[in-house]
Amino acid sequence: MARDANLYLRVDSQVKKDAEELFNAFGINISDAVNIFLNKALMVGGFPFEVVKERYNKTTEAAIQEVNNMISGKVEAKDYCNLEDLKKNLKKE
């Protein structure tokens, strides 16, 4: 197939540098790597690798939910005037 279309991407400069080094080790450039990715995606009818949501343990997920609830105003965030007040509250819980 002729390469007759341009595709413009914006990526982090460090990611680009690291990717160039990686693909150069295979003897290809980023353009070749993107073409390989796109052709493989077309062959499999989707991403050519598993795409999953990052999972956390239950404690971390609960903490994330608590912060999201505070941000959205569902739960009032606690604040403390000093470290002693914080320590007292932690002992209660």
Side-chain angles (χ1 to χ4, degrees):
M1 273 193 230
R3 293 186 180 186
D4 59 354
N6 291 322
L7 181 65
Y8 298 97
L9 305 171
R10 299 212 37 94
V11 297
D12 179 82
S13 59
Q14 187 62 50
V15 169
K16 180 180 183 261
K17 179 182 175 291
D18 293 345
E20 285 173 332
E21 290 176 12
L22 172 67
F23 297 129
N24 285 339
F26 290 104
I28 63 173
N29 58 34
I30 289 182
S31 181
D32 293 331
V34 170
N35 273 291
I36 291 168
F37 168 81
L38 294 174
N39 281 289
K40 182 67 175 181
L42 292 171
M43 289 180 353
V44 301
F47 284 99
F49 47 81
E50 186 177 15
V51 178
V52 296
K53 181 182 175 202
E54 190 170 337
R55 306 245 9 212
Y56 302 101
N57 64 40
K58 290 186 186 296
T59 303
T60 303
E61 286 180 352
I64 292 169
Q65 185 60 51
E66 182 179 7
V67 169
N68 287 334
N69 288 341
M70 288 178 198
I71 291 169
S72 68
K74 292 178 185 174
V75 174
E76 188 174 336
K78 297 176 186 175
D79 60 349
Y80 304 95
C81 295
N82 56 55
L83 185 58
E84 290 306 315
D85 288 346
L86 171 64
K87 288 179 182 179
K88 286 176 189 175
N89 191 299
L90 289 173
K91 286 181 182 179
K92 289 179 193 176
E93 295 177 9

